[in-house]
Amino acid sequence: MKIPRRLGVAGLAAALALVPALFTAPQADAAQSIRAADPSVLRIGGTYVSVQSMNGGIAVRQASSPDGLGAAAARQVWSDTRNLGEVWAPEIHLDGGRYYIYFSAGRGAAHRMYVISSATADSGYSGETRLALPDDKWAVDGTMFVFNGQRWFVWSGWAGDTNVEQNLYIARMSSPASTTGGRFVISQPRESWERVVGNPFINEGPEAIKDPGGQLHIVYSANGSWSDQYCLADLRLRAGGDPTYVWDWYKSNGCLFGSNRATMMPGWDPTLYVNGPGHHTFVLLNGDIDTSPPAGPRFPLMFHAVPKGTPYSWENRFWYTGTFAWWGNITYSRANVPGATTNTGWSLKFFE
């Protein structure tokens, strides 16, 4: 398939310099690496660092390529010595030369976000600190990013104290370990294509990235993670928009990466090799959205999914390597809301 915007020789060379040779060619069939869910991977120089929940705690792997992470030793960096409960979806970030791992822990309605930090990727982490998120409600899948000089925290959570639906919320951060001000909803699972499987209906796994025009995107997972309807969709912040104002965000009109044609956005095709791709990670240099790739060839991605021909269950999820490319001049439309009903800009294509 044709990449939407031509690059000159210099532009193409600059784009390729951001990407290891592993990702300069399409991957027809994504490689399985780790039998697990919720990958989080960043690149530090030529080293890829991943974090995952395992053995009642959190482990870090390091390798020279994303595909190499599966064979790399998993080093336990934190254990649940206080018996907080289930440990879900850790996310690793680098900020000011220090590593921060955000994760959710708890039982039932008690799930809250925590953070640990270290000067070294795979050792020396502090004890956990609970993030004092505004309104103090059930929270999972939290991740930090910096946009236009401001730190932000985005996560999936409940509006109240009951499990009705999971919304995406955003809050400003005053430091990598603390938020300030209120929480603001930026997405709710209200579109028909993200309500195929529910009870509860779900928006979760948010990941931030900047497009070639500098606009902010939050790519997230929709539909129940226990179903092959799980998929990735996009929120695009309008140019000059306020990240805390829900109507400045425009949602893709369907899944951008999924295994069911009926829920895909027009012009996007379902997967060939896996079912229910979701909860991805953009593999960015230093995990920094200011290193988001330009338009051009495909760039590294990891996601979890279940291989086709295998019963869909949490136990059958694997981490996969894949790629993505920016796709230009794409209109997202909406109705019966304040503001403009359409917004045209960059979207994303995902490849196994």
Side-chain angles (χ1 to χ4, degrees), residues 25 50 57-58 63 93 102-104 118 120 129 138 143 149 162 173 196 247 253 263 277 310 321 344 346 351:
S50 72
I58 295 171
H93 293 270
Y102 303 92
F103 62 96
S104 178
S118 175
T120 306
T129 297
W138 186 92
T143 186
T162 55
M173 301 191 84
V196 180
W247 303 122
N253 298 119
T263 57
T310 302
T321 56
T344 300
W346 290 95
F351 304 90

Side-chain angles (χ1 to χ4, degrees), residues 70-328:
R75 183 167 183 175
Q76 197 90 358
V77 298
W78 177 84
S79 296
D80 184 13
T81 57
R82 293 201 293 132
N83 194 27
L84 296 174
E86 300 156 325
V87 179
W88 291 348
E91 290 268 337
I92 188 166
H93 293 270
L94 182 65
D95 186 292
R98 193 167 180 86
Y99 293 90
Y100 294 85
I101 298 177
Y102 303 92
F103 62 96
S104 178
R107 295 179 178 85
H111 267 274
R112 297 295 188 272
M113 291 303 307
Y114 294 83
V115 63
I116 57 177
S117 68
S118 175
T120 306
D122 66 346
S123 64
Y125 280 86
S126 64
E128 73 280 357
T129 297
R130 180 167 155 177
L131 281 176
L133 295 181
D135 296 336
D136 189 26
K137 303 298 182 183
W138 186 92
V140 299
D141 297 351
T143 186
M144 183 267 289
F145 64 93
V146 177
F147 179 64
N148 290 345
Q150 170 67 56
R151 285 189 189 90
W152 298 91
F153 196 74
V154 61
W155 71 99
S156 177
W158 298 351
D161 297 316
T162 55
N163 191 9
V164 176
E165 63 181 6
Q166 289 177 223
N167 304 320
L168 297 184
Y169 294 94
I170 196 167
R172 292 178 175 85
M173 301 191 84
S174 55
S175 76
S178 59
T179 61
T180 183
R183 68 169 180 167
F184 302 88
V185 66
I186 60 172
S187 182
Q188 295 173 284
R190 300 295 174 81
E191 302 300 321
S192 60
W193 52 267
E194 56 185 352
R195 295 174 68 88
V196 180
V197 173
N199 193 25
F201 297 110
I202 283 174
N203 284 177
E204 65 182 13
E207 296 290 338
I209 194 167
K210 278 171 62 172
D211 69 28
Q215 286 177 246
L216 178 64
H217 295 245
I218 302 291
V219 177
Y220 68 96
S221 299
N223 288 304
S225 63
W226 56 91
S227 160
D228 67 4
Q229 294 285 346
Y230 206 50
C231 70
L232 293 184
D234 181 39
L235 295 173
R236 180 173 63 214
L237 185 69
R238 71 170 182 84
D242 177 357
T244 69
Y245 182 53
V246 64
W247 303 122
D248 278 351
W249 291 94
Y250 287 78
K251 184 177 289 191
S252 57
N253 298 119
C255 302
L256 301 183
F257 195 35
S259 54
N260 295 276
R261 184 171 294 278
T263 57
M264 300 301 292
M265 181 160 161
W268 271 250
D269 295 320
T271 52
L272 297 174
Y273 306 104
V274 301
N275 283 328
H279 206 131
H280 69 301
T281 179
F282 295 112
V283 184
L284 301 178
L285 178 63
N286 300 327
D288 183 355
I289 70 167
D290 283 334
T291 69
S292 298
R298 301 182 188 180
F299 298 95
L301 171 83
M302 292 195 79
F303 59 95
H304 79 230
V306 171
K308 282 189 182 293
T310 302
Y312 200 94
S313 69
W314 284 345
E315 293 75 20
N316 286 336
R317 293 176 296 185
F318 285 85
W319 287 14
Y320 285 84
T321 56
T323 57
F324 74 95
W326 289 109
W327 218 251

